[in-house]
Amino acid sequence: MKTICLLGSTGSIGTQTLDVVAKHPDELRCAALAVHRSVEVALDQAQRFGVRHVAVADERLAGTAAAEELRAWCEAGGGALSFGAAAVEQLCLLSEVDVVVNALVGAAGLRASYLTLEAGRVLALANKESLVVGGDLIMPLAASLNRCRGDNGALMPIDSEHGAIYQCLLGEDMAEVTKLWVTASGGPFRGRTRDQLRSITPAQALAHPTWNMGAKISIDSSTLMNKGLEVIEAHHLFAMPYDKIEVVVQPQSAIHSMVEFSDGSVKAHLGTTDMRIPIQFALSYPKRWEAPVAPLDFRTLGTLEFSAPDTKTFRCLALARQAGQVGGTLPCVMNAANEVAVEAFLSERLPYLGIAECVESVMEALGSQLVESLEQLSAIDHEARALAWQFVEQR
């Protein structure tokens, strides 16, 4: 049995991870949960799954009636309720934990990923920013842990695209890989022009045609920033140069990604559009357990469409690729500016097309440095956010 610590338990990935735990009680046990603010939901999850270690990132909620009820539950079982960002990170170090599922949103997840691997725990990663911002620090830790484990399972990607590529590469010689194809649904605005995007509202951008995701990731998907982040992730995860990573729009989302080889062969990973499948694989590896959802029926699938992404209209993809190719701290700058821009758009302080404009402005202002430490990345993240908010306020 594997014991997991689930960071971000009330979000889309978190709740679906608990679905997988519920389906496989003989294989998985959840020992710790972390949430940002949803104390009542955390209490329900803790009671349903017998979890006695809980952390709440928002310290302002300490002392509330719901928090006291959750505290009583945790302490009755010999555990504890704690508050603050450091408390969330400390859950990764619990001695009973085998696997940390990092489903935190944003750059806040980087330090948790680093501590998880540093402590020798397996990292099941759904936090894109861990690799986008800190891939130069995270991947050497994962490589070191893989050598100690004697396998390649220290860092298991939960993203459907990277989980698909991971599975397509099993048993293959990386020297024979000529291209990684990262698939994209195209988001809710596929085919629209820049003029048509000028008046887009948050409600329209949140309406993803295929996946059920949180607000920030949904906006990133609509701007294609999500694909840009995934290109950078793929570069780090699979040690693949950027000129061998391509994005292809596949609106049906039946093909989750593909790998092309030197002899012209292509492996494609297909399946039901349900995140519980890649979540379960990340937790079951190297085994495969009974499917958590109904399998894809190819007789009813219909057609599969493919097209190139429109990077002139959806400029965030091009900006993310540029940040990745330059490397160093520029992806950190890009990511921080994007997080601010998305927040500003959702609060109607920035127009939709202003997201890319904000990101580009901050990237040009700060440039890139060599990555040295988590502390350095934190300082640059802070500086980039400050500049991004200046951009928003001056609009």
Side-chain angles (χ1 to χ4, degrees):
M1 176 176 285
K2 296 179 181 178
T3 299
I4 72 169
C5 164
L6 175 54
L7 308 182
S9 67
T10 60
S12 175
I13 296 296
T15 55
Q16 291 179 90
T17 298
L18 290 176
D19 287 345
V20 173
V21 173
K23 184 172 179 62
H24 299 284
D26 296 333
E27 302 285 358
L28 296 170
R29 180 177 76 89
C30 188
L33 300 171
V35 301
H36 181 58
R37 292 185 51 85
S38 304
V39 177
E40 294 86 355
V41 180
L43 173 61
D44 176 67
Q45 292 176 336
Q47 291 176 335
R48 282 192 295 124
F49 290 91
V51 179
R52 301 290 182 168
H53 297 280
V54 180
V56 179
D58 192 337
E59 298 177 86
R60 296 171 296 180
L61 297 174
T64 62
E68 289 306 309
E69 188 177 356
L70 180 55
R71 185 188 305 279
W73 163 263
C74 292
E75 293 178 352
L81 170 65
S82 52
F83 291 85
V88 173
E89 296 163 2
Q90 286 303 305
L91 291 183
C92 305
L93 307 182
L94 289 171
S95 59
E96 61 197 282
V97 169
D98 302 309
V99 182
V100 173
V101 178
N102 187 348
L104 298 174
V105 176
L110 170 57
R111 186 170 174 81
S113 291
Y114 188 93
L115 292 174
T116 294
L117 293 170
E118 188 177 48
R121 313 284 196 270
V122 171
L123 175 62
L125 187 61
N127 173 260
K128 296 181 183 301
E129 292 77 11
S130 290
L131 294 180
V132 171
V133 176
D136 291 338
L137 301 176
I138 293 293
M139 292 312 299
L141 281 177
S144 177
L145 186 53
N146 280 333
R147 287 192 293 271
C148 292
R149 289 165 50 91
D151 63 12
N152 197 37
L155 197 171
M156 295 300 299
I158 283 180
D159 271 353
S160 62
E161 295 82 1
H162 302 106
I165 292 171
Y166 188 101
Q167 293 181 64
C168 287
L169 289 173
L170 289 175
E172 299 289 353
D173 183 348
M174 289 298 296
E176 296 173 349
V177 176
T178 55
K179 190 167 293 185
L180 304 181
W181 288 96
V182 178
T183 55
S185 70
F189 308 131
R190 177 172 55 91
R192 298 200 191 184
T193 65
R194 286 183 64 80
D195 282 342
Q196 292 172 323
L197 295 177
R198 294 189 188 282
S199 59
I200 290 297
T201 66
Q204 291 172 315
L206 289 170
H208 194 278
T210 308
W211 298 100
N212 177 23
M213 304 176 293
K216 196 268 180 181
I217 298 175
S218 294
I219 300 303
D220 282 349
S221 179
S222 77
T223 64
L224 294 193
M225 175 59 85
N226 215 35
K227 289 303 124 179
L229 300 181
E230 288 170 9
V231 166
I232 298 174
E233 283 185 281
H235 164 74
H236 287 294
L237 281 168
F238 307 112
M240 191 64 56
Y242 284 98
D243 61 359
K244 292 186 177 181
I245 305 173
E246 295 292 345
V247 173
V248 59
V249 176
Q250 204 283 292
Q252 293 77 23
S253 297
I255 297 178
H256 301 310
S257 276
M258 302 175 286
V259 175
E260 185 176 319
F261 298 92
S262 55
D263 64 352
S265 300
V266 178
K267 274 189 181 181
H269 181 280
L270 292 83
T272 303
T273 53
D274 192 300
M275 284 304 299
R276 285 171 289 187
I277 293 176
I279 291 168
Q280 180 172 297
F281 180 78
L283 296 175
S284 69
Y285 180 81
K287 298 180 180 179
R288 292 185 186 270
W289 300 335
E290 181 183 349
V293 296
L296 183 63
D297 186 345
F298 290 94
R299 297 167 298 181
T300 62
L301 180 59
T303 60
L304 294 176
E305 302 172 55
F306 300 92
S307 62
D310 181 357
T311 55
K312 291 184 179 179
T313 300
F314 300 93
R315 296 181 55 247
C316 283
L317 174 54
L319 290 170
R321 183 180 282 274
Q322 175 191 340
Q325 289 172 326
V326 171
T329 59
L330 192 57
C332 175
V333 171
M334 176 272 299
N335 180 75
N338 179 66
E339 288 190 17
V340 168
V342 169
E343 182 181 345
F345 168 69
L346 287 170
S347 61
E348 300 184 344
R349 298 173 62 184
L350 190 69
Y352 185 74
L353 292 180
I355 296 174
E357 293 170 2
C358 178
V359 172
E360 184 171 28
S361 174
V362 177
M363 286 173 60
E364 289 177 351
L366 292 184
S368 183
Q369 307 170 28
L370 289 176
V371 174
E372 298 173 356
S373 66
L374 289 176
E375 291 72 24
Q376 173 212 26
L377 290 173
S378 178
I380 289 172
D381 175 270
H382 181 79
E383 184 179 5
R385 288 174 192 275
L387 281 178
W389 278 121
Q390 286 181 22
F391 179 92
V392 171
E393 290 163 2
Q394 292 168 1
R395 288 283 299 187

